[in-house]
Amino acid sequence: MSLNDRLTTDMKVAMKNKEKQKLSVIRMVKSSLQNESIKLGHDLTEEEELTVLTREVKQRKDSLQEFDKAGRSDLVQNLDEELSILTAYLPKQLSEEEVELLVKQVIAETGATSKQEMGKVMGALMPKVKGKADGGLVNRLVQKNLS
């Protein structure tokens, strides 16, 4: 079942159960997927859907940090709920140990030895962890292993 089909099914369930928050988040994601499809001029592949979903999660995490700094606990709670709804659609996240293992493998494959070659490592690594690990975590682990 594609992401769009899952979202449509969950949207119907949310309507029946009168879950306003979940319904709002699902509609927002469906809208983002539709906009991306129009922008690209074709139906989205699974990878493109995952990119859009990851972008939505990242936007909310960034907003969450900003609202937390500003002391807006009402907005923080709302974004926490949205994040929990969105993360249900992401693939299972890799643990830090699994990501570190992948980082070491890619460093060995690319033969990188210094931080100057970080771009080469990140370029080879990111497609492998796309949607399965936070980019910040990956970046930090690559820097740690290249120093």
Side-chain angles (χ1 to χ4, degrees):
M1 179 183 281
S2 75
L3 177 61
N4 210 17
D5 294 340
R6 276 182 59 201
L7 288 168
T8 302
T9 303
D10 290 351
M11 188 170 74
K12 290 175 186 175
V13 171
M15 278 187 224
K16 287 178 185 174
N17 295 339
K18 297 185 180 1
E19 298 171 293
K20 290 181 182 179
Q21 177 81 10
K22 187 172 187 177
L23 182 60
S24 171
V25 172
I26 292 172
R27 281 182 172 156
M28 218 174 318
V29 172
K30 282 183 65 72
S31 173
S32 294
L33 289 168
Q34 183 69 30
N35 289 339
E36 188 74 11
S37 177
I38 290 168
K39 183 176 125 189
L40 295 175
H42 60 81
D43 288 342
L44 299 179
T45 64
E46 272 189 49
E47 187 174 316
E48 291 166 336
E49 288 177 340
L50 187 60
T51 301
V52 172
L53 193 58
T54 305
R55 185 182 323 134
E56 291 291 321
V57 169
K58 184 178 182 334
Q59 285 174 352
R60 281 165 180 77
K61 283 182 179 179
D62 292 345
S63 297
L64 186 71
Q65 289 176 342
E66 293 301 317
F67 292 149
D68 199 28
K69 284 180 190 173
R72 296 291 309 267
S73 58
D74 55 329
L75 296 174
V76 169
Q77 182 183 2
N78 190 22
L79 280 174
D80 273 336
E81 291 173 18
E82 288 185 17
L83 274 171
S84 67
I85 293 167
L86 285 174
T87 53
Y89 297 101
L90 288 173
K92 181 184 171 290
Q93 297 294 296
L94 297 172
S95 70
E96 190 166 338
E97 293 78 28
E98 292 170 318
V99 175
E100 183 141 25
L101 185 63
L102 277 171
V103 167
K104 289 177 181 176
Q105 287 175 349
V106 171
I107 288 174
E109 288 170 10
T110 58
T113 56
S114 67
K115 284 190 177 183
Q116 284 76 23
E117 298 172 291
M118 189 170 165
K120 182 167 58 170
V121 174
M122 291 296 283
L125 183 62
M126 286 312 286
K128 295 179 180 184
V129 298
K130 185 177 192 112
K132 298 178 191 168
D134 179 51
L137 171 68
V138 174
N139 189 347
R140 185 172 48 83
L141 292 174
V142 169
Q143 284 184 5
K144 184 180 110 180
N145 283 287
L146 284 177
S147 59

